[in-house]
Amino acid sequence: MTDTSNLLAEQRRALILDEVRRRGGVRVNELTRQLNVSDMTIRRDLDALARAGAVEKVHGGAVSVEAARTHEPGFEAKSALEPSAKEEIARAAADLVVPGSAIALSGGTTTYTLARHLTGVAELTVVTNSVRVADVFAEAQRRQPEVPAPTVVLTGGVRTPSDALVGPVADRAIRSLHFDLLFLGTHGLSPEAGLSTPNLAEAETNRAFIASARRTVLVADHTKWGTVGLSSFADLTDIDTWVTDAGLPDDAADTARAHVRELILAGR
């Protein structure tokens, strides 16, 4: 790629797109060095290419649209995305939990944030396939051993890059249980594809969660809207409540309300 700061935006974006197509993905820090422009300029370029549907933004850069369907970031990478929105969503979702109930939390950074708000709920039973979520409750018990701890059931399974346990072992365990409330994360959601993930095994595990829950609550920030992963695991109509943040555009909120039973915009 040409190393120059004198390119027009259209020329620069064309070079970026060529690089994405050639390599399958690019990183912001690499592009700033190669094109001799600021991080902010590159991020604006990637935003423009993403709006045009030419690339899919991921943490630290962008990948081709085809690669995005199978790209699964690690837990730490996803934790750095939209932290304020996840905190607002977690606070609103925690208000839905009744003491003494049995709940399930799927893997994900938003459900992990939610778990931190649930450590003080009395007589709670928590089923999760997330190693990180289980660690939240274990650490809370270590810090305050005098406080009655929730009963936590961690499924077995094969560990994903986002520290979720998936596969036949997890699926069998989940299908044998029944939850009052399921808090579910997702890689992406759209009216056409519903809820989706890049991980085929995780999709099946999420289906098992939904089948075992009396009520399903999706916890997903506004950036997930319009993203489509490799495998769909639920329709929007399968969701009882979607808790998201106030960054969701009005037209997306109107579309969501036509499909999900309840939409909660945390922080609005």
Side-chain angles (χ1 to χ4, degrees):
M1 294 175 66
T2 304
D3 184 10
T4 176
S5 59
N6 297 320
L7 294 173
L8 296 174
E10 292 82 1
Q11 295 173 313
R12 191 173 58 246
R13 290 167 189 170
L15 288 172
I16 293 171
L17 185 56
D18 284 343
E19 192 77 350
V20 170
R21 288 170 175 166
R22 183 175 66 84
R23 296 168 48 195
V26 292
R27 299 190 63 81
V28 170
N29 57 3
E30 294 173 347
L31 293 174
T32 57
R33 292 194 300 269
Q34 291 171 329
L35 294 174
N36 194 27
V37 292
S38 68
D39 281 11
M40 189 62 67
T41 296
I42 294 299
R43 294 184 191 280
R44 282 196 297 264
D45 289 339
L46 295 180
D47 284 340
L49 290 170
R51 285 194 300 270
V55 303
E56 186 79 22
K57 290 184 67 182
V58 297
H59 180 63
V63 296
S64 67
V65 174
E66 294 77 11
R69 298 189 187 277
T70 57
H71 176 74
E72 183 177 8
F75 187 91
E76 301 301 338
K78 290 196 291 186
S79 292
L81 304 176
E82 303 296 329
S84 297
K86 290 173 183 175
E87 186 65 28
E88 290 181 345
I89 292 167
R91 284 198 297 267
D95 290 339
L96 303 176
V97 178
V98 177
S101 58
I103 68 170
L105 279 74
S106 75
T109 52
T110 308
T111 51
Y112 168 79
T113 305
L114 170 59
R116 301 205 310 267
H117 289 266
L118 299 178
T119 56
V121 179
E123 299 180 348
L124 198 63
T125 299
V126 180
V127 177
T128 185
N129 70 324
S130 169
V131 176
R132 300 289 185 132
V133 166
D135 285 346
V136 168
F137 292 103
E139 179 59 29
Q141 178 62 10
R142 284 193 291 269
R143 288 198 312 269
Q144 295 181 297
E146 71 282 1
V147 177
T151 299
V152 179
V153 178
L154 178 63
T155 70
V158 178
R159 200 164 180 164
T160 71
S162 57
D163 284 346
L165 300 176
V166 300
V169 172
D171 300 348
R172 282 196 298 272
I174 292 165
R175 289 195 179 101
S176 69
L177 302 170
H178 304 281
F179 325 118
D180 300 309
L181 200 55
L182 163 65
F183 291 100
L184 184 67
T186 187
H187 172 78
L189 69 156
S190 72
E192 299 79 18
L195 280 62
S196 58
T197 172
N199 190 303
L200 291 172
E202 186 170 41
E204 187 60 35
T205 298
N206 285 341
R207 292 186 194 105
F209 266 129
I210 293 170
S212 294
R214 287 199 305 111
R215 180 183 176 192
T216 297
V217 179
L218 174 66
V219 286
D221 69 74
H222 72 279
T223 64
K224 303 296 182 69
W225 183 260
T227 298
V228 177
L230 178 65
S231 178
S232 295
F233 58 86
D235 294 327
L236 292 184
T237 53
D238 295 323
I239 302 305
D240 296 294
T241 301
W242 178 19
V243 185
T244 188
D245 62 287
L248 187 71
D250 289 340
D251 58 343
D254 291 340
T255 301
R257 288 189 183 98
H259 293 81
V260 302
R261 294 179 179 85
E262 179 185 24
L263 178 68
I264 298 175
L265 296 173
R268 178 173 292 184

Short mmCIF file of all heavy atoms in Angstrom, two decimals, residues 34-94:
data_model
loop_
_atom_site.label_atom_id
_atom_site.label_comp_id
_atom_site.label_asym_id
_atom_site.label_seq_id
_atom_site.Cartn_x
_atom_site.Cartn_y
_atom_site.Cartn_z
N GLN A 34 0.94 2.75 7.47
CA GLN A 34 1.08 2.60 6.02
C GLN A 34 0.59 3.82 5.26
O GLN A 34 1.17 4.18 4.22
CB GLN A 34 0.31 1.35 5.57
CG GLN A 34 0.94 0.04 6.04
CD GLN A 34 0.05 -1.15 5.77
OE1 GLN A 34 -1.18 -1.05 5.78
NE2 GLN A 34 0.65 -2.30 5.53
N LEU A 35 -0.45 4.47 5.76
CA LEU A 35 -1.02 5.61 5.04
C LEU A 35 -0.64 6.95 5.65
O LEU A 35 -1.02 8.00 5.13
CB LEU A 35 -2.55 5.47 5.00
CG LEU A 35 -3.06 4.28 4.18
CD1 LEU A 35 -4.56 4.13 4.32
CD2 LEU A 35 -2.68 4.44 2.71
N ASN A 36 0.09 6.90 6.77
CA ASN A 36 0.60 8.12 7.39
C ASN A 36 -0.52 9.10 7.74
O ASN A 36 -0.44 10.30 7.49
CB ASN A 36 1.63 8.81 6.48
CG ASN A 36 2.43 9.88 7.21
OD1 ASN A 36 2.60 9.79 8.43
ND2 ASN A 36 2.90 10.87 6.48
N VAL A 37 -1.57 8.57 8.35
CA VAL A 37 -2.68 9.40 8.82
C VAL A 37 -3.02 8.99 10.25
O VAL A 37 -2.48 8.02 10.77
CB VAL A 37 -3.93 9.24 7.91
CG1 VAL A 37 -3.66 9.84 6.53
CG2 VAL A 37 -4.35 7.79 7.80
N SER A 38 -3.93 9.71 10.86
CA SER A 38 -4.25 9.46 12.27
C SER A 38 -5.19 8.27 12.44
O SER A 38 -5.86 7.85 11.48
CB SER A 38 -4.92 10.70 12.87
OG SER A 38 -6.20 10.89 12.29
N ASP A 39 -5.22 7.77 13.67
CA ASP A 39 -6.18 6.71 14.00
C ASP A 39 -7.60 7.15 13.68
O ASP A 39 -8.40 6.37 13.15
CB ASP A 39 -6.10 6.37 15.49
CG ASP A 39 -4.92 5.48 15.82
OD1 ASP A 39 -4.06 5.29 14.95
OD2 ASP A 39 -4.86 4.97 16.96
N MET A 40 -7.94 8.40 14.03
CA MET A 40 -9.30 8.90 13.81
C MET A 40 -9.66 8.88 12.33
O MET A 40 -10.79 8.53 11.96
CB MET A 40 -9.43 10.32 14.38
CG MET A 40 -10.87 10.82 14.38
SD MET A 40 -11.95 9.83 15.42
CE MET A 40 -11.26 10.22 17.05
N THR A 41 -8.71 9.24 11.48
CA THR A 41 -8.98 9.23 10.04
C THR A 41 -9.27 7.82 9.55
O THR A 41 -10.22 7.58 8.79
CB THR A 41 -7.78 9.80 9.28
OG1 THR A 41 -7.62 11.18 9.64
CG2 THR A 41 -7.98 9.72 7.77
N ILE A 42 -8.45 6.86 10.00
CA ILE A 42 -8.67 5.47 9.59
C ILE A 42 -10.01 4.96 10.10
O ILE A 42 -10.75 4.26 9.38
CB ILE A 42 -7.51 4.58 10.09
CG1 ILE A 42 -6.20 4.95 9.39
CG2 ILE A 42 -7.84 3.09 9.86
CD1 ILE A 42 -6.23 4.79 7.88
N ARG A 43 -10.35 5.30 11.33
CA ARG A 43 -11.64 4.83 11.88
C ARG A 43 -12.81 5.42 11.11
O ARG A 43 -13.82 4.73 10.90
CB ARG A 43 -11.73 5.17 13.37
CG ARG A 43 -10.71 4.41 14.21
CD ARG A 43 -10.87 4.67 15.70
NE ARG A 43 -9.74 4.13 16.43
CZ ARG A 43 -9.60 2.86 16.77
NH1 ARG A 43 -10.54 1.99 16.43
NH2 ARG A 43 -8.54 2.44 17.43
N ARG A 44 -12.68 6.67 10.68
CA ARG A 44 -13.74 7.27 9.85
C ARG A 44 -13.83 6.55 8.51
O ARG A 44 -14.93 6.32 7.99
CB ARG A 44 -13.49 8.77 9.64
CG ARG A 44 -13.86 9.63 10.84
CD ARG A 44 -13.97 11.09 10.44
NE ARG A 44 -12.70 11.61 9.97
CZ ARG A 44 -11.84 12.26 10.71
NH1 ARG A 44 -12.09 12.46 12.00
NH2 ARG A 44 -10.71 12.72 10.21
N ASP A 45 -12.68 6.21 7.96
CA ASP A 45 -12.68 5.47 6.69
C ASP A 45 -13.36 4.11 6.86
O ASP A 45 -14.17 3.69 6.02
CB ASP A 45 -11.24 5.25 6.20
CG ASP A 45 -10.60 6.54 5.71
OD1 ASP A 45 -11.33 7.47 5.38
OD2 ASP A 45 -9.35 6.57 5.65
N LEU A 46 -13.04 3.41 7.94
CA LEU A 46 -13.64 2.10 8.17
C LEU A 46 -15.14 2.22 8.43
O LEU A 46 -15.92 1.37 8.00
CB LEU A 46 -12.95 1.39 9.34
CG LEU A 46 -11.48 1.02 9.12
CD1 LEU A 46 -10.92 0.34 10.36
CD2 LEU A 46 -11.30 0.13 7.90
N ASP A 47 -15.54 3.29 9.14
CA ASP A 47 -16.97 3.53 9.36
C ASP A 47 -17.69 3.70 8.02
O ASP A 47 -18.77 3.15 7.81
CB ASP A 47 -17.18 4.77 10.22
CG ASP A 47 -16.89 4.53 11.69
OD1 ASP A 47 -16.90 3.36 12.11
OD2 ASP A 47 -16.65 5.52 12.41
N ALA A 48 -17.09 4.48 7.13
CA ALA A 48 -17.70 4.73 5.83
C ALA A 48 -17.79 3.45 5.01
O ALA A 48 -18.82 3.17 4.36
CB ALA A 48 -16.91 5.79 5.07
N LEU A 49 -16.74 2.65 5.02
CA LEU A 49 -16.76 1.38 4.28
C LEU A 49 -17.76 0.41 4.89
O LEU A 49 -18.43 -0.33 4.16
CB LEU A 49 -15.35 0.77 4.28
CG LEU A 49 -14.31 1.51 3.44
CD1 LEU A 49 -12.91 0.96 3.72
CD2 LEU A 49 -14.63 1.40 1.95
N ALA A 50 -17.88 0.42 6.21
CA ALA A 50 -18.85 -0.47 6.86
C ALA A 50 -20.28 -0.05 6.53
O ALA A 50 -21.14 -0.91 6.28
CB ALA A 50 -18.62 -0.47 8.37
N ARG A 51 -20.54 1.26 6.52
CA ARG A 51 -21.89 1.74 6.17
C ARG A 51 -22.26 1.35 4.75
O ARG A 51 -23.44 1.09 4.45
CB ARG A 51 -21.98 3.26 6.34
CG ARG A 51 -22.06 3.73 7.78
CD ARG A 51 -22.49 5.18 7.86
NE ARG A 51 -21.57 6.06 7.17
CZ ARG A 51 -20.53 6.64 7.73
NH1 ARG A 51 -20.27 6.42 9.02
NH2 ARG A 51 -19.73 7.45 7.04
N ALA A 52 -21.25 1.31 3.89
CA ALA A 52 -21.49 0.93 2.49
C ALA A 52 -21.60 -0.58 2.31
O ALA A 52 -21.89 -1.06 1.21
CB ALA A 52 -20.37 1.47 1.61
N GLY A 53 -21.37 -1.34 3.41
CA GLY A 53 -21.46 -2.79 3.33
C GLY A 53 -20.25 -3.45 2.72
O GLY A 53 -20.28 -4.64 2.38
N ALA A 54 -19.13 -2.69 2.60
CA ALA A 54 -17.94 -3.23 1.95
C ALA A 54 -17.07 -4.02 2.91
O ALA A 54 -16.34 -4.93 2.49
CB ALA A 54 -17.13 -2.09 1.33
N VAL A 55 -17.09 -3.67 4.20
CA VAL A 55 -16.31 -4.37 5.21
C VAL A 55 -17.17 -4.53 6.46
O VAL A 55 -18.23 -3.91 6.59
CB VAL A 55 -15.00 -3.62 5.58
CG1 VAL A 55 -14.14 -3.39 4.35
CG2 VAL A 55 -15.31 -2.31 6.29
N GLU A 56 -16.69 -5.33 7.38
CA GLU A 56 -17.33 -5.47 8.70
C GLU A 56 -16.30 -5.05 9.74
O GLU A 56 -15.18 -5.56 9.78
CB GLU A 56 -17.74 -6.92 8.93
CG GLU A 56 -18.54 -7.14 10.19
CD GLU A 56 -19.99 -6.76 10.03
OE1 GLU A 56 -20.50 -6.71 8.89
OE2 GLU A 56 -20.64 -6.50 11.06
N LYS A 57 -16.67 -4.06 10.57
CA LYS A 57 -15.76 -3.61 11.61
C LYS A 57 -15.66 -4.65 12.72
O LYS A 57 -16.66 -5.24 13.12
CB LYS A 57 -16.23 -2.27 12.18
CG LYS A 57 -16.08 -1.10 11.22
CD LYS A 57 -16.48 0.20 11.89
CE LYS A 57 -15.53 0.57 13.00
NZ LYS A 57 -15.91 1.82 13.69
N VAL A 58 -14.45 -4.86 13.22
CA VAL A 58 -14.20 -5.69 14.38
C VAL A 58 -13.28 -4.91 15.30
O VAL A 58 -12.78 -3.85 14.94
CB VAL A 58 -13.56 -7.05 13.99
CG1 VAL A 58 -14.49 -7.85 13.11
CG2 VAL A 58 -12.21 -6.85 13.28
N HIS A 59 -13.06 -5.45 16.49
CA HIS A 59 -12.22 -4.75 17.45
C HIS A 59 -10.82 -4.55 16.87
O HIS A 59 -10.13 -5.50 16.52
CB HIS A 59 -12.12 -5.55 18.74
CG HIS A 59 -11.28 -4.90 19.79
ND1 HIS A 59 -11.59 -3.68 20.36
CD2 HIS A 59 -10.10 -5.27 20.35
CE1 HIS A 59 -10.67 -3.35 21.23
NE2 HIS A 59 -9.76 -4.30 21.25
N GLY A 60 -10.41 -3.28 16.75
CA GLY A 60 -9.06 -2.96 16.29
C GLY A 60 -8.89 -2.87 14.80
O GLY A 60 -7.78 -2.64 14.32
N GLY A 61 -9.96 -3.05 14.03
CA GLY A 61 -9.80 -2.99 12.58
C GLY A 61 -11.07 -3.39 11.84
O GLY A 61 -12.18 -3.05 12.25
N ALA A 62 -10.90 -4.10 10.75
CA ALA A 62 -12.04 -4.52 9.93
C ALA A 62 -11.66 -5.79 9.18
O ALA A 62 -10.48 -6.07 8.95
CB ALA A 62 -12.42 -3.43 8.93
N VAL A 63 -12.67 -6.57 8.83
CA VAL A 63 -12.48 -7.78 8.05
C VAL A 63 -13.46 -7.75 6.89
O VAL A 63 -14.39 -6.94 6.84
CB VAL A 63 -12.72 -9.06 8.89
CG1 VAL A 63 -11.70 -9.17 10.01
CG2 VAL A 63 -14.13 -9.10 9.46
N SER A 64 -13.24 -8.64 5.93
CA SER A 64 -14.16 -8.73 4.81
C SER A 64 -15.52 -9.18 5.31
O SER A 64 -15.64 -9.81 6.37
CB SER A 64 -13.63 -9.72 3.76
OG SER A 64 -13.63 -11.03 4.28
N VAL A 65 -16.56 -8.86 4.58
CA VAL A 65 -17.91 -9.23 4.99
C VAL A 65 -18.02 -10.74 5.12
O VAL A 65 -18.65 -11.27 6.03
CB VAL A 65 -18.94 -8.69 3.98
CG1 VAL A 65 -20.34 -9.19 4.31
CG2 VAL A 65 -18.91 -7.17 3.98
N GLU A 66 -17.38 -11.47 4.22
CA GLU A 66 -17.43 -12.93 4.28
C GLU A 66 -16.73 -13.45 5.53
O GLU A 66 -17.23 -14.33 6.22
CB GLU A 66 -16.78 -13.55 3.03
CG GLU A 66 -17.51 -13.27 1.73
CD GLU A 66 -17.28 -11.86 1.20
OE1 GLU A 66 -16.37 -11.17 1.72
OE2 GLU A 66 -17.99 -11.46 0.28
N ALA A 67 -15.58 -12.88 5.86
CA ALA A 67 -14.84 -13.33 7.04
C ALA A 67 -15.58 -12.99 8.32
O ALA A 67 -15.49 -13.70 9.32
CB ALA A 67 -13.45 -12.70 7.06
N ALA A 68 -16.34 -11.88 8.31
CA ALA A 68 -17.05 -11.46 9.52
C ALA A 68 -18.04 -12.49 9.98
O ALA A 68 -18.34 -12.60 11.17
CB ALA A 68 -17.75 -10.13 9.26
N ARG A 69 -18.59 -13.26 9.07
CA ARG A 69 -19.59 -14.25 9.46
C ARG A 69 -19.00 -15.38 10.28
O ARG A 69 -19.72 -16.06 11.00
CB ARG A 69 -20.28 -14.80 8.21
CG ARG A 69 -21.01 -13.73 7.41
CD ARG A 69 -21.86 -14.34 6.31
NE ARG A 69 -22.43 -13.30 5.46
CZ ARG A 69 -23.54 -12.62 5.75
NH1 ARG A 69 -24.17 -12.86 6.87
NH2 ARG A 69 -23.99 -11.70 4.93
N THR A 70 -17.69 -15.59 10.16
CA THR A 70 -17.05 -16.67 10.91
C THR A 70 -16.01 -16.17 11.90
O THR A 70 -15.34 -16.96 12.55
CB THR A 70 -16.38 -17.67 9.94
OG1 THR A 70 -15.44 -16.96 9.12
CG2 THR A 70 -17.41 -18.33 9.05
N HIS A 71 -15.86 -14.85 12.02
CA HIS A 71 -14.86 -14.27 12.92
C HIS A 71 -15.42 -14.19 14.34
O HIS A 71 -16.45 -13.57 14.56
CB HIS A 71 -14.46 -12.87 12.44
CG HIS A 71 -13.51 -12.17 13.37
ND1 HIS A 71 -12.18 -12.50 13.48
CD2 HIS A 71 -13.71 -11.17 14.25
CE1 HIS A 71 -11.59 -11.71 14.36
NE2 HIS A 71 -12.51 -10.90 14.86
N GLU A 72 -14.75 -14.82 15.29
CA GLU A 72 -15.20 -14.79 16.68
C GLU A 72 -14.10 -14.18 17.53
O GLU A 72 -13.09 -14.82 17.82
CB GLU A 72 -15.54 -16.19 17.18
CG GLU A 72 -16.09 -16.17 18.60
CD GLU A 72 -16.50 -17.55 19.07
OE1 GLU A 72 -16.23 -18.54 18.38
OE2 GLU A 72 -17.11 -17.61 20.16
N PRO A 73 -14.28 -12.92 17.99
CA PRO A 73 -13.25 -12.29 18.82
C PRO A 73 -13.14 -12.97 20.17
O PRO A 73 -14.08 -13.62 20.63
CB PRO A 73 -13.76 -10.84 18.97
CG PRO A 73 -14.83 -10.68 17.94
CD PRO A 73 -15.40 -12.03 17.71
N GLY A 74 -12.00 -12.81 20.82
CA GLY A 74 -11.83 -13.33 22.16
C GLY A 74 -12.56 -12.48 23.19
O GLY A 74 -13.03 -11.38 22.89
N PHE A 75 -12.63 -12.99 24.43
CA PHE A 75 -13.39 -12.31 25.47
C PHE A 75 -12.82 -10.92 25.75
O PHE A 75 -13.58 -9.95 25.89
CB PHE A 75 -13.39 -13.15 26.74
CG PHE A 75 -14.27 -12.62 27.82
CD1 PHE A 75 -15.59 -13.02 27.91
CD2 PHE A 75 -13.78 -11.72 28.77
CE1 PHE A 75 -16.42 -12.53 28.92
CE2 PHE A 75 -14.59 -11.22 29.77
CZ PHE A 75 -15.91 -11.63 29.85
N GLU A 76 -11.51 -10.80 25.88
CA GLU A 76 -10.91 -9.51 26.21
C GLU A 76 -11.17 -8.48 25.12
O GLU A 76 -11.44 -7.31 25.40
CB GLU A 76 -9.40 -9.67 26.44
CG GLU A 76 -9.04 -10.63 27.56
CD GLU A 76 -9.62 -10.22 28.90
OE1 GLU A 76 -9.94 -9.03 29.08
OE2 GLU A 76 -9.76 -11.09 29.77
N ALA A 77 -11.10 -8.90 23.86
CA ALA A 77 -11.37 -7.98 22.76
C ALA A 77 -12.80 -7.48 22.80
O ALA A 77 -13.07 -6.29 22.63
CB ALA A 77 -11.09 -8.67 21.43
N LYS A 78 -13.73 -8.37 23.06
CA LYS A 78 -15.14 -7.97 23.10
C LYS A 78 -15.44 -7.12 24.33
O LYS A 78 -16.33 -6.26 24.29
CB LYS A 78 -16.04 -9.21 23.07
CG LYS A 78 -16.04 -9.92 21.72
CD LYS A 78 -17.19 -10.89 21.58
CE LYS A 78 -17.08 -12.07 22.47
NZ LYS A 78 -18.15 -13.07 22.20
N SER A 79 -14.72 -7.34 25.42
CA SER A 79 -14.96 -6.56 26.64
C SER A 79 -14.67 -5.08 26.43
O SER A 79 -15.26 -4.23 27.11
CB SER A 79 -14.09 -7.09 27.78
OG SER A 79 -14.49 -8.38 28.18
N ALA A 80 -13.76 -4.77 25.51
CA ALA A 80 -13.39 -3.38 25.28
C ALA A 80 -14.42 -2.63 24.44
O ALA A 80 -14.34 -1.41 24.31
CB ALA A 80 -12.02 -3.32 24.59
N LEU A 81 -15.39 -3.32 23.89
CA LEU A 81 -16.38 -2.71 23.01
C LEU A 81 -17.61 -2.27 23.80
O LEU A 81 -18.18 -3.06 24.55
CB LEU A 81 -16.80 -3.69 21.91
CG LEU A 81 -15.69 -4.27 21.05
CD1 LEU A 81 -16.24 -5.30 20.07
CD2 LEU A 81 -14.95 -3.17 20.31
N GLU A 82 -18.01 -1.01 23.64
CA GLU A 82 -19.24 -0.46 24.23
C GLU A 82 -19.39 -0.75 25.73
O GLU A 82 -20.46 -1.20 26.17
CB GLU A 82 -20.46 -1.01 23.47
CG GLU A 82 -20.46 -0.75 21.98
CD GLU A 82 -20.55 0.74 21.64
OE1 GLU A 82 -21.17 1.49 22.43
OE2 GLU A 82 -20.00 1.13 20.61
N PRO A 83 -18.37 -0.49 26.55
CA PRO A 83 -18.49 -0.82 27.98
C PRO A 83 -19.59 -0.05 28.69
O PRO A 83 -20.27 -0.59 29.57
CB PRO A 83 -17.10 -0.49 28.54
CG PRO A 83 -16.52 0.49 27.57
CD PRO A 83 -17.05 0.10 26.23
N SER A 84 -19.78 1.23 28.35
CA SER A 84 -20.83 2.03 29.01
C SER A 84 -22.21 1.50 28.67
O SER A 84 -23.09 1.41 29.54
CB SER A 84 -20.71 3.50 28.59
OG SER A 84 -19.48 4.04 29.01
N ALA A 85 -22.41 1.14 27.41
CA ALA A 85 -23.71 0.60 27.00
C ALA A 85 -23.98 -0.72 27.71
O ALA A 85 -25.11 -0.97 28.18
CB ALA A 85 -23.73 0.40 25.49
N LYS A 86 -22.98 -1.56 27.83
CA LYS A 86 -23.16 -2.85 28.51
C LYS A 86 -23.51 -2.65 29.98
O LYS A 86 -24.32 -3.40 30.55
CB LYS A 86 -21.91 -3.70 28.36
CG LYS A 86 -21.67 -4.21 26.94
CD LYS A 86 -20.34 -4.90 26.80
CE LYS A 86 -20.12 -5.33 25.35
NZ LYS A 86 -18.80 -5.91 25.12
N GLU A 87 -22.91 -1.65 30.60
CA GLU A 87 -23.21 -1.37 32.01
C GLU A 87 -24.65 -0.90 32.17
O GLU A 87 -25.36 -1.34 33.10
CB GLU A 87 -22.24 -0.30 32.54
CG GLU A 87 -22.35 -0.03 34.02
CD GLU A 87 -21.95 -1.21 34.89
OE1 GLU A 87 -21.12 -2.02 34.44
OE2 GLU A 87 -22.49 -1.31 36.01
N GLU A 88 -25.13 -0.05 31.29
CA GLU A 88 -26.52 0.41 31.36
C GLU A 88 -27.49 -0.76 31.13
O GLU A 88 -28.51 -0.88 31.82
CB GLU A 88 -26.76 1.51 30.32
CG GLU A 88 -26.07 2.82 30.63
CD GLU A 88 -26.35 3.88 29.59
OE1 GLU A 88 -26.83 3.52 28.49
OE2 GLU A 88 -26.10 5.07 29.87
N ILE A 89 -27.17 -1.59 30.16
CA ILE A 89 -28.01 -2.76 29.87
C ILE A 89 -28.05 -3.69 31.08
O ILE A 89 -29.12 -4.19 31.45
CB ILE A 89 -27.48 -3.50 28.63
CG1 ILE A 89 -27.68 -2.65 27.37
CG2 ILE A 89 -28.15 -4.85 28.46
CD1 ILE A 89 -26.92 -3.14 26.16
N ALA A 90 -26.90 -3.92 31.68
CA ALA A 90 -26.82 -4.83 32.83
C ALA A 90 -27.67 -4.32 33.99
O ALA A 90 -28.37 -5.10 34.65
CB ALA A 90 -25.37 -5.01 33.26
N ARG A 91 -27.60 -3.02 34.27
CA ARG A 91 -28.40 -2.47 35.37
C ARG A 91 -29.89 -2.65 35.12
O ARG A 91 -30.65 -3.02 36.03
CB ARG A 91 -28.07 -0.99 35.56
CG ARG A 91 -26.73 -0.73 36.25
CD ARG A 91 -26.67 0.68 36.79
NE ARG A 91 -26.76 1.68 35.73
CZ ARG A 91 -25.71 2.22 35.12
NH1 ARG A 91 -24.49 1.85 35.47
NH2 ARG A 91 -25.88 3.11 34.17
N ALA A 92 -30.32 -2.37 33.88
CA ALA A 92 -31.74 -2.52 33.55
C ALA A 92 -32.17 -3.98 33.59
O ALA A 92 -33.27 -4.31 34.07
CB ALA A 92 -32.02 -1.91 32.18
N ALA A 93 -31.33 -4.87 33.10
CA ALA A 93 -31.68 -6.30 33.08
C ALA A 93 -31.73 -6.87 34.48
O ALA A 93 -32.57 -7.74 34.78
CB ALA A 93 -30.66 -7.06 32.24
N ALA A 94 -30.87 -6.40 35.38
CA ALA A 94 -30.86 -6.91 36.75
C ALA A 94 -32.18 -6.64 37.46
O ALA A 94 -32.58 -7.40 38.35
CB ALA A 94 -29.70 -6.29 37.53
#
